[in-house]
């Protein structure tokens, strides 16, 4: 059992290092040697826990999305519905350094999935979960079920678009405008 836990921890350590390499240096730098150096591990350990480049990429995108899921799941369920919806939306925007790195990883691996068939299922799971969160947010706001499919597409597209703009802001540049745009959108859905 301890060995299994050790392998799981090594996978996490290597995936976290891969996130940092991807965010800092781009997907071209995602090599066993670079990730091993970033993790402070020998290359043989990286190869042991991730025998293929695809397996390292898939685990890295899964790790990034698991972090997002943990943040969304941590939003208290007993909040008033509008406040819970607002808090979930905030977790989906890159409003701090950790989430900027996560989005950089997601974007790099999303592009890689265009030519890496093994990576595509992981990215499809990410898109499906984003869709579910969009639908949850709309449900919290009382959007009629007949409108949920359309509004979920709009909300997902808006979140993705705002995330792309926010992640490219200069360090220290405020992102409050993006939060305001999202809030106005949600208010407009409810008011319609």
């Amino acid at each position: 059992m301890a060995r299994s836990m050790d392998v799981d921890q090594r996978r996490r350590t290597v995936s976290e290092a891969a996130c940092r390499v991807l965010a800092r240096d781009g997907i071209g730098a995602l090599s066993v040697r670079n990730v091993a150096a970033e993790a402070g591990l020998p290359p043989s350990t990286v190869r042991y826990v991730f025998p293929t480049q695809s397996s390292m990429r898939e685990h890295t995108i899964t790790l990034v999305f698991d972090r997002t899921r943990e943040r969304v799941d941590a939003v208290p369920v007993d909040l008033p519905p509008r406040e819970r919806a607002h808090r979930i939306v905030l977790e989906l925007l890159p409003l701090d350094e950790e989430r900027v790195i996560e989005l950089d990883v997601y974007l790099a691996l999303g592009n890689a999935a265009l030519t890496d068939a093994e990576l595509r299922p992981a990215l499809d799971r990410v898109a499906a979960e984003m869709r579910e969160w969009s639908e949850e947010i709309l449900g919290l706001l009382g959007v009629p079920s007949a409108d949920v499919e359309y509004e979920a597409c709009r909300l997902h597209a808006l979140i993705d678009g705002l995330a792309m703009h926010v992640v490219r802001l200069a360090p220290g540049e405020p992102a409050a405008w993006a939060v305001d745009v999202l809030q106005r959108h949600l208010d407009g859905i409810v008011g319609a």
Side-chain angles (χ1 to χ4, degrees), residues 41-163:
L41 296 169
S44 60
T45 299
V46 173
R47 284 190 198 98
Y48 177 74
V49 295
F50 295 116
T52 66
Q53 186 81 348
S54 288
S55 64
M56 182 168 47
R57 288 176 175 186
E58 181 193 2
H59 195 272
T60 300
I61 190 66
T62 300
L63 172 74
V64 163
F65 213 67
D66 285 348
R67 288 179 180 167
T68 305
R69 185 181 306 109
E70 289 167 8
R71 285 194 305 272
V72 169
D73 289 347
V75 174
V77 294
D78 59 348
L79 290 174
R82 287 178 77 107
E83 185 178 343
R84 179 167 163 73
H86 179 75
R87 295 265 307 269
I88 291 171
V89 164
L90 292 181
E91 295 302 337
L92 303 177
L93 285 178
L95 298 174
D96 59 27
E97 185 178 346
E98 178 184 353
R99 288 179 278 177
V100 167
I101 290 171
E102 290 171 2
L103 185 59
D104 284 340
V105 169
Y106 173 75
L107 293 172
L109 293 177
N111 287 334
L114 297 173
T115 57
D116 184 346
E118 291 180 44
L119 189 56
R120 186 64 199 208
L123 270 292
D124 289 344
R125 285 192 304 273
V126 168
E129 192 135 3
M130 280 294 296
R131 172 64 178 244
E132 288 174 20
W133 287 328
S134 296
E135 290 174 358
E136 178 182 356
I137 290 163
L138 296 168
L140 288 165
L141 296 174
V143 172
S145 59
D147 297 334
V148 167
E149 183 177 348
Y150 172 74
E151 292 297 345
C153 288
R154 281 193 341 141
L155 180 57
H156 188 171
L158 180 61
I159 292 169
D160 281 356
L162 288 172

